[in-house]
Structures are given as structure tokens and as C-alpha cells.
């Protein structure tokens, strides 16, 4: 019985270890009203200690953070997505390139204008990649919907 339990435990350990899939980035999405027709979309990444998230212009090698927005006839993006956080630049021997990334937290801000007074949602997705000193996780894509407009 002990041998069976030990064998099961040995087989279960890798499964249990992989069941704790690392998810070192938590995303939050919100809108901030600037005036009647203008909103800022805030897409904020909170990054676990020891990990880093690549910038939109990361450098050669890793998958940079990128946003895709679904078409919405009531919403028009104005300008580029701004990054608000402490940008780090360092040479990474694994990618043989100087890379740009964020630690702890970064807020991506897109300004949009709305047409009309009806409430609507800005839908889209963010693709990103994170690494620590030992490993990189595969790129991940997260969908979001941010409410704008209305009263």
C-alpha cells in the first residue's frame, strides 16, 4: 500500500506543479471621463515581484505588449497608446538585444472620442509576454470590454 501511495505521489507531483500555472500579471480595465465626448481607457498591468512585462516597443526577441480593438462605430481612438510606468532598459543575453520592459505596474492609456450619448463598450484584447531571471512564459492574450459614454 505504501509503495502504491508513493508511486501515485511521484506521478502526481508534476501534475500538481503544472496545475499551479504561473500567472504573474493581473490586468484591470477602466475608463476615465475627460469631457462630454472624450474618455481615457486605462489598461493596467500589475506585475508580480521578480517578473517583467515587455513594452510596446520591446526590442528584438520577445513578444511586445500589443492591443487590438474591435471595430465600434460609436468610438474612435485618438493618438497612440501611452505607457505610464517606470521603463527599464537592459541588455538581455538570452535575446542578444537591448530590451524595454516594466516591473511592478504599468498603465497603458488610450484616448477615445465617442459619437452620440449612448453608453457603449470598447472591446479588444491585449497580448503580452513576461519573463523573470530564469524563464519566459509563452505569450498570452486576454480579452477585455471597457464601458464608455452614457450618463
Amino acid at each position: 500500500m505504501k509503495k502504491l501511495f508513493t508511486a501515485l505521489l511521484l506521478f502526481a507531483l508534476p501534475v500538481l506543479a503544472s496545475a499551479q500555472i504561473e500567472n504573474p500579471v493581473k490586468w484591470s480595465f477602466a475608463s476615465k471621463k475627460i469631457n462630454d465626448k472624450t474618455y481615457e481607457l486605462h489598461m493596467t498591468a500589475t506585475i508580480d515581484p521578480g517578473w517583467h512585462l515587455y513594452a510596446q516597443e520591446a526590442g528584438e526577441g520577445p513578444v511586445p505588449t500589443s492591443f487590438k480593438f474591435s471595430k465600434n462605430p460609436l468610438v474612435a481612438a485618438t493618438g497612440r497608446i501611452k505607457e505610464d510606468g517606470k521603463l527599464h532598459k537592459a541588455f538581455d543575453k538570452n535575446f542578444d538585444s537591448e530590451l524595454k520592459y516594466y516591473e511592478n505596474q504599468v498603465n497603458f492609456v488610450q484616448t477615445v472620442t465617442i459619437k452620440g450619448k449612448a453608453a457603449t463598450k470598447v472591446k479588444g484584447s491585449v497580448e503580452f509576454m513576461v519573463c523573470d531571471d530564469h524563464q519566459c512564459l509563452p505569450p498570452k492574450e486576454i480579452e477585455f470590454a471597457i464601458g464608455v459614454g452614457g450618463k
Side-chain angles (χ1 to χ4, degrees):
M1 188 66 163
K2 276 188 176 180
K3 286 182 182 180
L4 179 61
F5 179 73
T6 304
L8 285 173
L9 189 61
L10 287 174
F11 285 114
L13 279 176
V15 172
L16 290 173
S18 67
Q20 295 179 2
I21 295 172
E22 300 215 48
N23 190 15
V25 179
K26 310 292 183 279
W27 286 92
S28 63
F29 304 95
S31 66
K32 179 181 177 186
K33 188 174 185 174
I34 303 301
N35 61 40
D36 264 2
K37 302 271 184 202
T38 307
Y39 286 80
E40 286 180 347
L41 305 179
H42 291 265
M43 298 149 298
T44 305
T46 303
I47 307 151
D48 287 351
W51 291 89
H52 54 267
L53 171 81
Y54 291 102
Q56 294 176 95
E57 303 288 331
E60 293 296 319
V63 173
T65 301
S66 64
F67 294 87
K68 292 180 207 158
F69 294 99
S70 302
K71 291 197 184 296
N72 182 334
L74 299 176
V75 180
T78 52
R80 297 179 50 140
I81 298 174
K82 297 179 184 86
E83 298 174 354
D84 182 16
K86 186 172 191 259
L87 182 66
H88 296 270
K89 294 179 190 175
F91 183 81
D92 188 315
K93 63 183 179 192
N94 296 316
F95 291 108
D96 194 31
S97 177
E98 181 169 276
L99 300 177
K100 298 175 186 173
Y101 59 88
Y102 293 94
E103 296 175 339
N104 302 317
Q105 189 172 61
V106 58
N107 185 21
F108 296 92
V109 182
Q110 173 68 62
T111 303
V112 297
T113 55
I114 58 169
K115 301 168 186 164
K117 296 183 181 182
T120 188
K121 290 192 183 285
V122 177
K123 295 180 180 180
S125 63
V126 55
E127 183 179 27
F128 62 97
M129 182 173 167
V130 290
C131 297
D132 67 8
D133 291 341
H134 309 292
Q135 66 180 331
C136 291
L137 298 181
K140 193 172 190 176
E141 190 168 1
I142 304 250
E143 292 185 357
F144 60 83
I146 305 170
V148 293
K151 291 188 179 188

